[in-house]
């Protein structure tokens, strides 16, 4: 006796990036910073301290300054982080086809993770694969996305199977696309040195997540293994090694650094060496032409275009440097789109 045909099952894919203000105006920037800087995984202080400190003091002081910087970043399409994410969503959807439903959301502000998950629920997907667009796992980025997703779906009456791609530190598509973009820049100019600049996090975040007290913030990151697979620092150094191998660089030809540290009254140390301090010392050592990568980001944003591309360039030239060039982010490069599709298929 024939059995009834099984209903067609679709797989949901949720792509998530950090977030962006709705506009570069101060009120919108303030709303974004309020949500971002009161996340307990970003600022791991007790809520009774975190909320009054950041909502009452830090954000009001920082928002007008940040708004001016966002105005430099905004272009005719709006926020690059947003439109590159939407472009990636569209192209990944086209590659994956009708058996998949691809949604895009932001951890902070719009489009929200909740809205993106609702799109997948309405598509009646059988399961959901969540890909936070952060190559290296950190509790303050990937971990925060995972926590938010679980918080939202815990309120659903029917919860489908959900899996997370927690890190793609050494993913061939991720590494390969950055190598392609780097070689394009290297073909245009002779460089003395390469800097791989990653977003910084407090050292305590690394130590809090250390497996069996393995992390010592030292040579423990010289290899990438089961003990430090989710150590942010170890992942950054592994990405640098992989990129250097693809670009044909020896260890003496590149430096791994950390940027975007948030100064606080506590003066807690963040991951070192700091990019801004390293680049100021380079010209005196004869390093006058530098190619810079931001491999913690897969889309152009404030930290890449403005901080690394403009602010660090000015610092480098003021210190006596001749040429500082930022390698663009992956954005919706065809090779990166293929890399994302392959990650989805493998999961």
């Amino acid at each position: 006796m024939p059995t009834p045909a099984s209903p067609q099952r679709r797989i949901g894919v949720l792509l998530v990036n950090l977030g962006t203000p709705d506009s570069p105006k101060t009120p919108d920037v303030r709303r974004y910073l309020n949500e971002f800087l009161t996340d307990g995984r970003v600022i791991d202080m007790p809520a009774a301290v975190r909320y009054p400190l950041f909502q009452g003091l830090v954000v009001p002081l920082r928002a007008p300054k940040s708004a001016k910087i966002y105005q430099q970043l905004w272009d005719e399409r709006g926020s690059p982080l947003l439109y590159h994410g939407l472009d990636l969503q569209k192209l990944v959807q086209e590659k994956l086809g009708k058996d998949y439903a691809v949604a895009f959301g932001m951890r902070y502000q719009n489009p929200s993770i909740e809205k993106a998950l609702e799109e997948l629920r309405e598509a009646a997907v059988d399961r959901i694969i969540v890909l936070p667009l952060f190559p290296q796992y950190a509790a303050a980025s990937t971990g925060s996305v995972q926590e938010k997703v679980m918080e939202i779906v815990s309120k659903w009456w029917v919860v489908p199977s959900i899996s997370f791609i927690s890190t793609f530190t050494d993913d061939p598509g991720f590494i390969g696309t950055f190598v392609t973009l780097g070689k394009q820049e290297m073909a245009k100019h002779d460089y003395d040195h390469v800097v791989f600049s990653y977003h910084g996090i407090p050292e305590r975040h690394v130590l809090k997540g250390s497996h069996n007290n393995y992390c010592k913030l030292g040579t423990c990151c010289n290899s990438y293994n089961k003990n430090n697979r989710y150590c942010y620092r170890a992942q950054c150094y592994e990405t640098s090694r992989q990129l250097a191998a693809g670009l044909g660089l020896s260890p003496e030809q590149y430096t791994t650094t950390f940027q975007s540290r948030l100064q606080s009254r506590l003066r807690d140390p963040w991951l070192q060496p700091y990019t801004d301090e390293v680049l100021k010392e380079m010209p005196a050592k004869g390093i006058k032409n530098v190619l810079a990568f931001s491999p913690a980001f897969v889309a152009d944003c404030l930290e890449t275009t403005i901080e690394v591309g403009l602010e660090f360039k000015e610092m480098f030239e003021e210190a006596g440097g001749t040429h500082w060039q930022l390698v663009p982010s992956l954005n919706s490069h065809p090779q990166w789109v293929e890399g994302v599709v392959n990650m989805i298929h493998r999961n």
Side-chain angles (χ1 to χ4, degrees):
M1 182 176 178
T3 57
S6 299
Q8 183 180 9
R9 295 183 175 183
R10 298 183 79 193
I11 295 176
V13 176
L14 174 59
L15 305 176
V16 186
N17 216 321
L18 190 73
T20 183
D22 290 336
S23 83
K25 296 178 180 178
T26 300
D28 286 332
V29 173
R30 185 185 300 115
R31 275 192 291 273
Y32 166 71
L33 291 177
N34 264 330
E35 186 177 7
F36 174 43
L37 294 176
T38 55
D39 183 340
R41 282 182 170 265
V42 175
I43 306 295
D44 54 333
M45 297 177 175
V49 176
R50 184 172 70 249
Y51 279 92
L53 176 61
F54 283 86
Q55 288 187 335
L57 180 62
V58 176
V59 170
L61 290 174
R62 189 168 178 171
K65 299 175 184 177
S66 295
K68 291 180 181 178
I69 301 173
Y70 274 109
Q71 287 164 16
Q72 292 179 263
L73 179 69
W74 239 250
D75 59 28
E76 65 278 359
R77 291 189 66 188
S79 167
L81 194 69
L82 175 58
Y83 65 70
H84 285 310
L86 294 173
D87 289 346
L88 182 65
Q89 173 200 3
K90 178 176 179 292
L91 293 169
V92 169
Q93 178 68 77
E94 290 174 359
K95 282 276 187 181
L96 287 173
K98 60 182 177 57
D99 291 339
Y100 292 78
V102 183
F104 175 71
M106 294 288 197
R107 173 60 184 88
Y108 310 106
Q109 297 299 286
N110 302 301
S112 67
I113 291 177
E114 188 167 18
K115 179 178 179 295
L117 282 170
E118 192 58 36
E119 289 176 14
L120 297 180
R121 182 158 70 158
E122 290 177 1
V125 296
D126 184 61
R127 57 186 292 252
I128 297 174
I129 300 171
V130 182
L131 174 56
L133 293 169
F134 314 113
Q136 301 83 22
Y137 177 91
S141 54
T142 307
S144 180
V145 168
Q146 293 169 332
E147 182 178 75
K148 188 67 175 179
V149 168
M150 291 186 287
E151 174 192 316
I152 293 167
V153 300
S154 69
K155 300 171 185 175
W156 293 2
W157 190 250
V158 176
V159 180
S161 297
I162 297 177
S163 60
F164 296 92
I165 299 175
S166 297
T167 174
F168 50 95
T169 297
D170 53 359
D171 176 78
F174 162 65
I175 297 294
T177 311
F178 257 130
V179 167
T180 295
L181 293 169
K183 286 182 175 179
Q184 289 174 358
E185 295 298 334
M186 293 169 79
K188 302 174 188 176
H189 194 88
D190 291 329
Y191 291 97
D192 305 321
H193 203 76
V194 170
V195 170
F196 298 120
S197 181
Y198 298 84
H199 199 290
I201 62 173
E203 290 181 353
R204 69 176 182 276
H205 283 203
V206 170
L207 298 175
K208 282 171 70 172
S210 176
H211 175 67
N212 289 334
N213 200 32
Y214 180 83
C215 297
K216 304 297 180 184
L217 299 170
T219 57
C220 50
C221 292
N222 288 353
S223 67
Y224 187 47
N225 55 66
K226 65 180 182 179
N227 292 311
N228 60 12
R229 175 167 169 73
Y230 287 102
C231 167
Y232 179 76
R233 184 175 184 268
Q235 291 171 87
C236 292
Y237 277 101
E238 177 64 13
T239 295
S240 292
R241 286 190 290 266
Q242 296 267 350
L243 290 172
L247 294 166
L249 302 175
S250 66
E252 298 76 25
Q253 292 177 300
Y254 72 91
T255 302
T256 296
T257 61
F258 299 90
Q259 65 183 81
S260 308
R261 63 189 183 278
L262 178 65
Q263 298 287 8
S264 74
R265 293 185 176 184
L266 300 178
R267 300 297 180 192
D268 290 338
W270 282 46
L271 291 180
Q272 299 180 51
Y274 301 136
T275 308
D276 56 343
E277 294 183 358
V278 168
L279 66 87
K280 291 175 184 177
E281 298 171 353
M282 286 182 165
K285 298 177 181 178
I287 299 173
K288 299 293 185 75
N289 298 279
V290 171
L291 184 63
F293 289 74
S294 289
F297 304 92
V298 299
D300 290 327
C301 58
L302 199 73
E303 290 84 356
T304 62
T305 305
I306 303 299
E307 187 173 13
V308 180
L310 295 180
E311 293 176 0
F312 287 174
K313 175 182 172 68
E314 291 176 3
M315 291 180 192
F316 184 67
E317 291 175 350
E318 287 175 2
T322 303
H323 187 72
W324 174 278
Q325 178 61 51
L326 169 66
V327 175
S329 290
L330 309 186
N331 297 323
S332 56
H333 189 285
Q335 190 174 348
W336 171 230
V337 173
E338 193 66 36
V340 172
V341 169
N342 288 337
M343 275 194 275
I344 299 303
H345 281 155
R346 287 198 299 272
N347 283 272

